[in-house]
Amino acid sequence: MINEEHEVAMLGAPQTSGAVTSTVINIREETVVPDHVVWSLFNTLFFNPCCLGFVAFAYSVKSRDRKMVGDMIGAKSYASTAKCLNIWALILGIFVTIGSIYLLILSVNTYQTMLEIMQHRGGN
């Protein structure tokens, strides 16, 4: 017999007739840290004023790397920075888009007005 099997066989059943005690081990679940990679990628591709989307993507990747290593504090820090950058990139991107549409409409109206003025001067 192996040494451990021999020792277990020698011990036998518990000698006391008291209540059986149990040990409960609480295993903490892994802390979920959102790294915002998808949001950062979206901002990098579509709303990237002043390269904020790209910088947010870099911080998101750093957050994911820290999470893989097990450094949850570092992962949370990088994720928080990525979230902040993503919010600013999205807000600025929306403003730039709305501003561009407004300028396009304004320039089309100005062009049409200039054409009308030129036609009235040429007809007189």
Side-chain angles (χ1 to χ4, degrees):
M1 259 197 249
I2 299 176
N3 240 354
E4 292 172 337
E5 289 177 1
H6 180 66
E7 288 175 8
V8 172
M10 293 288 288
L11 291 174
Q15 300 298 322
T16 60
S17 62
V20 177
T21 60
S22 62
T23 304
V24 177
I25 300 173
N26 291 327
I27 300 174
R28 291 190 306 155
E29 291 185 23
E30 190 174 320
T31 306
V32 177
V33 177
D35 47 25
H36 309 293
V37 171
V38 175
W39 189 13
S40 299
L41 185 62
F42 175 81
N43 283 336
T44 300
L45 295 176
F46 299 110
F47 296 121
N48 199 16
C50 305
C51 294
L52 286 177
F54 180 72
V55 175
F57 185 72
Y59 274 97
S60 297
V61 171
K62 285 183 179 185
S63 174
R64 183 170 280 187
D65 290 345
R66 290 285 94 202
K67 189 168 46 171
M68 292 298 165
V69 173
D71 179 16
M72 292 302 155
I73 295 171
K76 285 180 183 178
S77 174
Y78 284 127
S80 174
T81 304
K83 181 179 179 181
C84 183
L85 290 170
N86 277 321
I87 289 170
W88 279 108
L90 188 64
I91 290 171
L92 290 175
I94 289 172
F95 281 151
V96 167
T97 302
I98 291 172
S100 298
I101 292 171
Y102 176 75
L103 287 175
L104 180 66
I105 291 170
L106 186 66
S107 65
V108 167
N109 285 339
T110 305
Y111 180 72
Q112 287 176 349
T113 305
M114 290 180 70
L115 280 179
E116 289 175 8
I117 290 172
M118 296 298 275
Q119 287 175 353
H120 287 302
R121 284 190 179 184
N124 288 333

